[in-house]
Amino acid sequence: MSKGVVYLVGAGPGDPKLITLRGLEAIQRADVVVYDRLASPRLLKHMKPGAEKIFVGKLPDKHMMKQGEINQLLVDLALQGKVVTRLKGGDPSVFGRVGEEAELLADNGIGFEIVPGITSAIAVPAYAGIPVTHRDFTSSFSIVTGHEYPNKTYSSVNWDNLAQASGTLIFLMGVANLEFICSQLIRGGKSAVTPVALIRWGTWMEQATLTGTLTDIVDKVRAANFQSPAVIIVGEVVKLREKLAWFEKKPLFGRRILVTRARSQASELVQQIEELGGEAVEFPVIRTQPPSSEEARAALDAALERLPEFEWVLFTSVNGVDYFFERLQQKRIDIRTLYQARIAAVGPKTAEALERRGLLVDLLPAKFQGDVLLESIEQELMPGQRVLLPTADIAKAYIPERLKQLGMDVTEVDVYETVLDTGGGAEVIDLLQQKALHIITFTSSSTVTNLLLALRELGAEKPLELLQSCRIACIGPMTAQTAREAGLTVDYVAEEATVASLVQSLYA
């Protein structure tokens, strides 16, 4: 059996988007990912299907696996012919013990690659509005381990030199030794009023910053019960935080938001949440697919064969457009058979989906909701006109019923159906139990119904109780009604049935 290869990858300080392209490639290639607690678990979603993950994380007072055991684990896995990615927080060469891991791999003739990462020593202060250098304050900085204990026989840190240095001092893993660090710097001659900042869980949603001076920071940390992991910055650049803090000022900072939309449509919502400083957790409780019943497929095909007869086609979702045209192509039906029909769309995204396929929308309501769509075209309708309504298997009956009341000849067909999807649910259950999810977004009635079903499927006997600590956001009144009928309290309702309006409702 040929030997495998090991990638020793720096995962960055926490924000999963701060990993390098090479690091991401290593995760995607890996047969096994060996990771610790400071590497974002969201990076593991990039693993290929069937890949194994092994947690070897360390807590300040507890080691899951000793370093020597980790070193040997990497060797053993590679000797099995596997591609191994060792995922470490920050940069693996900055107090990451990558040298020890690489040495044992080299001793065993195993190929390896060290993939640098963005070190927390620089990135975390930047996310708190503290650049480690600034020409008005300092042109140098030092990165120091804060993990040495006062009772060591010999210290590798030259405290007198550090105290006399004019540059920024950055201590990693030093919260437990903060009092010793401050006293040593003051003893060596550093001014007692030198600014100090501690940044906990920098670049994560839990980021918190505490500032003070060498004299009072220890008392402030005790009073706030400020815990590790945190980066300590000592120097005049700390004063810049008041002016330059940017991450913590974003409107959705500190909010972890559950996105229940189908994965194929979730990217826009996820992107907007993250641009505004929130953390999106994807749990696509619904998956869309073509109709599974022969009866529904036959009804759809029959309607498509009659396309030249329809005077109106009303599209109420992007999904409806996508599956409609997919079936047209499968049946080899020419789009020109729609020459007689006027086209209406519920909103701009649905209209864009139609325009990409060469159909210009005749009517788009000013307010993007299904009931408003109907109100906006009522004056255009004439009794007896034939209307095609391609929709989902669980669509609300209001539109077809109202059309029939107006004397229209309505053909309603299912072009797609929604099914339950529980993939990734274990992580969501953990976050809910820890009360680490702050907002849940619903983009359709089916996402409400299927989230509750998915939670029950995953073992939650009382899903409503599990959701009590979360605020609920709905894309429109119909979705909100479904949520309330299910027993949820709705906190936000978008003014328009668009992703942008939904996101805006969270902070407006």
Side-chain angles (χ1 to χ4, degrees), residues 339-379:
Y339 71 95
Q340 182 177 241
R342 297 184 68 185
I343 308 296
V346 71
K349 294 298 180 182
T350 305
E352 287 173 15
L354 288 163
E355 290 177 9
R356 286 196 299 271
R357 292 166 171 85
L359 283 180
L360 296 180
V361 174
D362 295 289
L363 198 144
L364 186 68
K367 196 171 183 180
F368 312 134
Q369 294 169 359
D371 53 348
V372 178
L373 167 65
L374 192 52
E375 291 173 10
S376 65
I377 68 170
E378 282 190 7
Q379 294 181 350

Side-chain angles (χ1 to χ4, degrees), residues 311-322:
E311 284 119 328
W312 283 94
V313 182
L314 311 186
F315 289 96
T316 58
S317 70
V318 173
N319 276 333
V321 174
D322 291 342

Side-chain angles (χ1 to χ4, degrees), residues 397-477:
Y398 170 77
I399 292 179
E401 288 177 357
R402 178 58 181 158
L403 287 170
K404 290 173 184 177
Q405 290 172 5
L406 294 171
M408 313 302 293
D409 181 356
V410 181
T411 300
E412 183 185 10
V413 291
D414 298 338
V415 290
Y416 70 97
E417 65 185 17
T418 60
V419 294
L420 184 66
D421 189 348
T422 59
E427 175 195 355
V428 173
I429 291 284
D430 287 343
L431 290 172
L432 287 169
Q433 289 173 339
Q434 297 166 22
K435 295 185 172 21
L437 276 174
H438 308 109
I439 300 173
I440 299 174
T441 60
F442 293 117
T443 55
S444 66
S445 292
S446 58
T447 58
V448 177
T449 304
N450 280 10
L451 175 62
L452 296 174
L453 285 174
L455 293 176
R456 290 191 185 96
E457 189 88 7
L458 292 162
E461 295 181 3
K462 299 179 179 179
L464 289 176
E465 290 184 9
L466 202 56
L467 302 179
Q468 278 184 347
S469 63
C470 302
R471 309 198 79 179
I472 304 298
C474 296
I475 202 166

Side-chain angles (χ1 to χ4, degrees), residues 267-347:
S267 58
E268 181 188 4
L269 179 53
V270 168
Q271 181 180 355
Q272 290 194 30
I273 289 170
E274 293 181 345
E275 284 294 321
L276 293 166
E279 180 183 312
V281 176
E282 292 187 65
F283 184 31
V285 294
I286 61 171
R287 176 169 48 84
T288 59
Q289 63 184 32
S292 56
S293 78
E294 288 187 15
E295 183 181 356
R297 289 197 300 270
L300 171 59
D301 292 346
L304 296 180
E305 294 290 346
R306 295 172 45 222
L307 283 184
E309 301 176 13
F310 292 103
E311 284 119 328
W312 283 94
V313 182
L314 311 186
F315 289 96
T316 58
S317 70
V318 173
N319 276 333
V321 174
D322 291 342
Y323 283 98
F324 177 86
F325 279 90
E326 181 180 307
R327 192 58 178 167
L328 270 186
Q329 186 176 20
Q330 291 170 351
K331 298 293 291 182
R332 305 295 295 169
I333 296 175
D334 196 318
I335 190 176
R336 288 173 291 186
T337 57
L338 278 169
Y339 71 95
Q340 182 177 241
R342 297 184 68 185
I343 308 296
V346 71

Side-chain angles (χ1 to χ4, degrees), residues 14 109 132 186 195 213 259 261 301 355-356 386 427 470 476:
V132 296
I186 293 173
T213 66
V259 175
R261 202 174 201 189
D301 292 346
E355 290 177 9
R356 286 196 299 271
R386 291 175 290 273
E427 175 195 355
C470 302

